[in-house]
Amino acid sequence: MPFAKKSSKLLKFLARNWSQEAVTCPEPEKLTNPVPIQSQALKPYSDIPGPRPIPILGNTWRLLPVIGQYDISDVAKLSSLFYQEYGKIVKLSGLVGRPDLLFVYDADEIEKVYRQEGPTPFRPSMPCLVKYKSEVRKDFFGREGGVVGVHGEPWKTFRTKVQKPILQLHTVKKYVEPIEAVTNDFIQRMTEMQDDKGEMPADFDNEIHKWALECIGRVSLDVRLGCLDANLSQDSEALKIIEAAKYALRNIAILELRFPFWRYFPTSLWTRYVKNMDYFVEICMKHIDAAMERLKMKTVKSEKDLSLVERILASEPDSKTAYILALDLILVGIDTISMAVCSILYQLATRPEQQEKLYQELKRVLPDKHAPLTSEKLDQMVFLKAFVKEVFRMYSTVIGNGRTLQEDMVLLGYKVPKGVQVVFPTLVTGSISEYVSEPKTFMPERWMKSESTSKIHPFASLPYGYGARMCLGRRFADLEIQVLLAKLIRSYRLDYLHEPLEYKVTFMYAPDGSLKFKMSERPDD
Ligand code: HEM
């Protein structure tokens, strides 16, 4: 049915990034704690512009084919359309079964929301995971069930336990070598996958997913899962994990966005989801238990001898913390990073001059292309980092972030009640000329202090979010991307010789189509 198809795209987008958890999140309500600002100057919430809902159908009809005014086949364009049509604050109310969404395109106001979010920010996410953690496997997850889909004090307690080791620079530096080993295997596999024109296969994005899985296994489970092996047997654990990750990627959105029958009775898709999640839990427990056994045998002189998993295990007597953390990192860390890499490689392959500039930088920093990487060398790759930031600014992989207000607030002069879901459309704000000079120009140099005079509002482009709830895996994500680009572009030139691809929100914002990159070895220098 076309409407179901189209509206599910919008809902996929909305729910993936900002969906409401009916169980835990307060609905918008009357102002209970008005911010102390002269009330005459304030405008009521009802005056916020936006498409007006009509009785019964609310705003959903606007997304219907033919009679609806919005083409939501590309939901990223929808948030841009709202901005053009209504300005810096737009209310989308009357979405069937959803709370109001408040799109805010003002970087100063976004900064205000982030800065006032308090010690336990509420980012609505993944209702399926919430049900799985808090009901189906309550016995296992208990009260502090991780960081993803958990809120309030339980979120804070868990995040406090794990955040230091994950975000400490010296922990991350320990992974330069292991991530380089995974990446070398991946690049070797890329050379084996080339067709007679030197191009990658049409499903190259699947291969990027396997690289991401292998990296996340190395970080969160202390193990090489073997996902990059060319000939995986049908009953291998690696293949089962790849299938489980693919399942998660393809079906969770459907489950969460179609009418949520699973909330009331176990549909077949829900049963498979639970089985899939149980499998991930089992894998996490198996490898963490093995890490625990190794740790018992290890002579440890200082904390520096420990891997991330070992540090968590050493500080937390109950290995459940390590199980749950590994599960969260795997669930969130695979598709974000792989879609980001698809996008970054596509941009590099279609921007030969900038790729050449990157190559020259890599030649300078890594005169011997076979010498191992170090964190000091990565630090010197300023153009590489600037290129990645610019891709995130113009093609933000996670197209927006959001917070459910836990207190009433004033935004752009309107009284906004707590419970409203405020949306920060990063993809749009990163290209508003008031906040970013020459926003339509792809210019990595703008991020390089030595070369740039251009302005960027610090809250206009935040690919990893901000504040206490900011992306927990960001340092590992940066490291994995940097290692891949450094190793690949130092030795190979990448081209894309087909019709340009459009960006779409499938799950994340990424080029939609076959990533048949041509890979040519650079002559030895
Ligand atoms: C380029 C890749 C990535 C992007 C763009 C990204 C982006 C984000 C964003 C926007 C958030 C929400 C932050 C907020 O609410 O302020 C987030 C949360 C999170 N990310 Fe990432 N992420 C990436 C990779 C990863 C990886 C590789 C991991 C795991 C190793 C990871 C683990 C997490 C976790 C656990 C959270 C939830 C944090 C919490 O709620 O306390 N992310 N990420």
Side-chain angles (χ1 to χ4, degrees), residues 154-165:
W155 166 80
K156 193 173 153 205
T157 314
F158 194 92
R159 177 127 182 170
T160 310
K161 279 189 205 166
V162 299
Q163 131 156 326
K164 198 168 150 206

Side-chain angles (χ1 to χ4, degrees), residues 88-89 104-115 409-414 422 424 435 457:
K88 285 187 164 180
I89 185 162
V104 174
Y105 301 87
D106 183 300
D108 293 323
E109 295 294 82
I110 292 173
E111 174 170 6
K112 190 163 94 185
V113 178
Y114 272 131
R115 291 199 189 279
M409 253 193 118
V410 174
L411 290 174
L412 285 140
Y414 293 97
V422 181
F424 317 129
Y435 307 125
H457 190 296

Side-chain angles (χ1 to χ4, degrees), residues 123 147 155 159 216 333 336 340 401 403 463-466 469 471 473:
R123 185 192 57 251
V147 286
W155 166 80
R159 177 127 182 170
I216 201 82
T336 41
N401 197 14
R403 293 286 184 260
Y464 292 120
Y466 180 84
R469 203 138 197 178
C471 175

Side-chain angles (χ1 to χ4, degrees), residues 473-517:
R474 64 189 183 273
R475 290 205 200 277
F476 282 100
D478 280 341
L479 176 72
E480 290 167 25
I481 294 169
Q482 288 162 15
V483 170
L484 177 62
L485 296 193
K487 297 303 288 186
L488 186 64
I489 304 302
R490 175 64 184 83
S491 296
Y492 297 91
R493 185 191 150 92
L494 221 55
D495 287 291
Y496 186 77
L497 306 173
H498 301 273
E499 286 297 304
L501 296 176
E502 263 200 61
Y503 269 66
K504 288 229 167 98
V505 178
T506 45
F507 217 54
M508 302 274 145
Y509 192 59
D512 183 34
S514 304
L515 296 174
K516 294 171 81 175
F517 300 123

Side-chain angles (χ1 to χ4, degrees), residues 204-437:
F204 181 56
D205 55 330
N206 271 341
E207 301 300 319
I208 295 178
H209 273 93
K210 291 182 195 168
W211 165 81
L213 251 178
E214 196 66 18
C215 289
I216 201 82
R218 189 63 190 78
V219 170
S220 61
L221 299 172
D222 250 358
V223 75
R224 283 291 304 258
L225 294 170
C227 300
L228 297 172
D229 293 354
N231 304 308
L232 293 171
S233 71
Q234 283 306 314
D235 59 347
S236 63
E237 181 182 279
L239 197 75
K240 286 188 197 150
I241 296 178
I242 293 168
E243 289 307 316
K246 257 195 226 161
Y247 174 85
L249 196 71
R250 290 181 190 161
N251 291 313
I252 288 174
I254 301 173
L255 196 60
E256 294 194 345
L257 301 167
R258 299 256 163 93
F259 188 82
F261 292 112
W262 54 270
R263 281 206 169 127
Y264 313 104
F265 60 90
T267 61
S268 62
L269 209 56
W270 170 254
T271 310
R272 275 181 63 199
Y273 171 81
V274 170
K275 225 172 126 195
N276 202 55
M277 290 299 297
D278 285 347
Y279 181 64
F280 273 127
V281 170
E282 190 190 304
I283 290 291
C284 291
M285 289 175 70
K286 176 181 144 187
H287 290 295
I288 297 290
D289 286 347
M292 184 62 133
E293 287 310 307
R294 286 195 298 275
L295 182 61
K296 282 183 197 153
M297 314 295 286
K298 193 166 172 175
T299 322
V300 180
K301 291 200 188 91
S302 97
E303 207 184 49
K304 287 197 176 134
D305 299 332
L306 300 175
S307 69
L308 170 64
V309 172
E310 288 169 341
R311 285 192 61 183
I312 304 279
L313 286 171
S315 63
E316 283 298 319
D318 184 355
S319 36
K320 202 173 259 192
T321 305
Y323 300 156
I324 294 175
L325 174 65
L327 183 75
D328 272 359
L329 295 181
I330 290 171
L331 292 180
V332 189
I334 302 172
D335 46 315
T336 41
I337 188 117
S338 23
M339 300 303 231
V341 164
C342 290
S343 176
I344 294 165
L345 292 184
Y346 177 72
Q347 292 303 325
L348 267 176
T350 50
R351 297 179 185 276
E353 279 172 29
Q354 279 148 340
Q355 190 182 149
E356 183 59 24
K357 189 165 177 179
L358 172 58
Y359 173 62
Q360 294 304 330
E361 176 176 90
L362 292 172
K363 254 183 25 172
R364 207 170 45 249
V365 179
L366 306 169
D368 172 5
K369 65 181 177 189
H370 301 295
L373 286 174
T374 61
S375 58
E376 291 71 28
K377 286 180 189 160
L378 290 174
D379 284 346
Q380 293 170 45
M381 298 173 192
V382 283
F383 184 74
L384 185 155
K385 291 178 193 174
F387 188 93
V388 173
K389 282 189 182 165
E390 189 66 346
V391 176
F392 282 151
R393 180 188 72 79
M394 279 187 86
Y395 310 92
S396 188
T397 310
V398 176
I399 68 171
N401 197 14
R403 293 286 184 260
T404 299
L405 294 188
Q406 297 179 84
E407 295 294 336
D408 305 337
M409 253 193 118
V410 174
L411 290 174
L412 285 140
Y414 293 97
K415 295 187 274 186
V416 181
K418 72 175 179 182
V420 165
Q421 231 172 284
V422 181
V423 172
F424 317 129
T426 320
L427 189 63
V428 180
T429 52
S431 290
I432 295 180
S433 57
E434 190 184 337
Y435 307 125
V436 181
S437 331

Side-chain angles (χ1 to χ4, degrees), residues 62-100:
R62 293 180 191 275
L63 310 165
L64 286 167
V66 189
I67 60 159
Q69 74 216 79
Y70 300 124
D71 175 8
I72 56 146
S73 59
D74 186 338
V75 287
K77 283 188 193 136
L78 183 74
S79 79
S80 175
L81 273 178
F82 279 171
Y83 174 59
Q84 286 160 23
E85 212 163 315
Y86 299 103
K88 285 187 164 180
I89 185 162
V90 182
K91 182 174 64 178
L92 186 62
S93 51
L95 278 172
V96 177
R98 304 254 148 197
D100 291 359

